[in-house]
Amino acid sequence: DVKVTQSSRYLVKRTGEKVFLECVQDMDHENMFWYRQDPGLGLRLIYFSYDVKMKEKGDIPEGYSVSREKKERFSLILESASTNQTSMYLCASSWGGTGIFGAQHFGDGTRLSIL
Amino acid sequence: AQKVTQAQTEISVVEKEDVTLDCVYETRDTTYYLFWYKQPPSGELVFLIRRNSFDEQNEISGRYSWNFQKSTSSFNFTITASQVVDSAVYFCALSEAGVTGGGNKLTFGTGTQLKVEL
C-alpha cells in the first residue's frame, strides 16, 4: 500500500514564526501536492511538484513556499506564519507523466494552529 | 476554469437507508478524470473510485455505486443500505490534464458530510 507520512498530526505555532511541514511518500511517485482544507471551502491546492527541485504554484500559494530536494520528500514552508494560516494541511502523491491521471494518495493531515 | 459543485452540505440518514451524493462538474477539457474520496473523522482522505471521461458505464462495488452522465456533467455516488461506518465527508474531484509534465491536478468540491444514525 502507498504510504504518505506527514511529520505531525497537530502543531501549534506563533505568529511570525517560520513553520515547516514535512511529507514523505514511499511509492516512488513523481508528483507531490500540498493542500489546505477549511470548512465550507473543500481542499485548495497550495503548491505541487512533478519532479525533484521542480515546483508549480497552485490556487493559493501566497504566504507559502515549498522545497523538494529528494523525490520522496516534499516540504511546505510558512515563511512568517499568520493566524489566517490556521488550517488542516494535507499532503498527497501520485504517479506522474502527462496524461497519466493517477489517483492521489493522501497523508493523515496536519492540523496547524497559529496563535 | 474547472469547477466541481457538491450542493449538499450535509445529509443525515438512518442506517439501512440508501443515500445519493450529488456531484456536478464543469470543464472544457475533452479528456478528464473524476474521483470520489472519503474522509472519515480520522482525517485521511481515502480514494474510492476514478472514472475517465470516455467511460460512461455505471460502476458498482459492493454497497457503492457510481452514475456518470456526461450529458448532465454529473458523477453521482450512491450508498446502498448505509451503515454507521459510512459516516464521513465525501469529496468529488476533477482532474485536468495540466500543461506541465506532471499533470493531474485535482479540483475538489466542497464536500458532503454524511451522517448515518442508528
Side-chain angles (χ1 to χ4, degrees), chain B residues 39-97:
Chain B
Q39 186 178 41
S42 58
E44 178 185 356
L45 266 80
V46 178
F47 165 68
L48 295 177
I49 190 171
R50 177 186 63 189
R51 175 53 53 84
N52 75 55
S53 52
F54 299 106
D55 182 3
E56 286 194 72
Q57 282 192 340
N58 291 337
E59 181 156 340
I60 298 174
S61 176
R63 295 185 297 106
Y64 295 170
S65 62
W66 290 269
N67 182 6
F68 175 32
Q69 292 193 336
K70 285 179 78 170
S71 60
T72 56
S73 296
S74 65
F75 186 43
N76 296 337
F77 173 31
T78 297
I79 301 174
T80 302
S82 60
Q83 299 175 3
V84 172
V85 293
D86 295 326
S87 297
V89 181
Y90 291 85
F91 290 96
C92 180
L94 170 67
S95 183
E96 63 181 30

Side-chain angles (χ1 to χ4, degrees), chain A residues 49-65:
Chain A
S49 168
Y50 56 89
D51 202 352
V52 176
K53 296 192 186 297
M54 304 302 289
K55 61 184 178 183
E56 293 280 343
K57 291 180 180 179
D59 300 318
I60 51 165
E62 296 78 20
Y64 303 94
S65 62

Side-chain angles (χ1 to χ4, degrees), chain A residues 9 31 37 98 101-102 104, chain B residues 37 39 42 44 50 101 104:
Chain A
R9 287 301 303 271
N31 296 335
Q37 181 180 5
T98 303
F101 294 84
Q104 292 184 17
Chain B
Y37 284 85
Q39 186 178 41
S42 58
E44 178 185 356
R50 177 186 63 189
N104 96 311

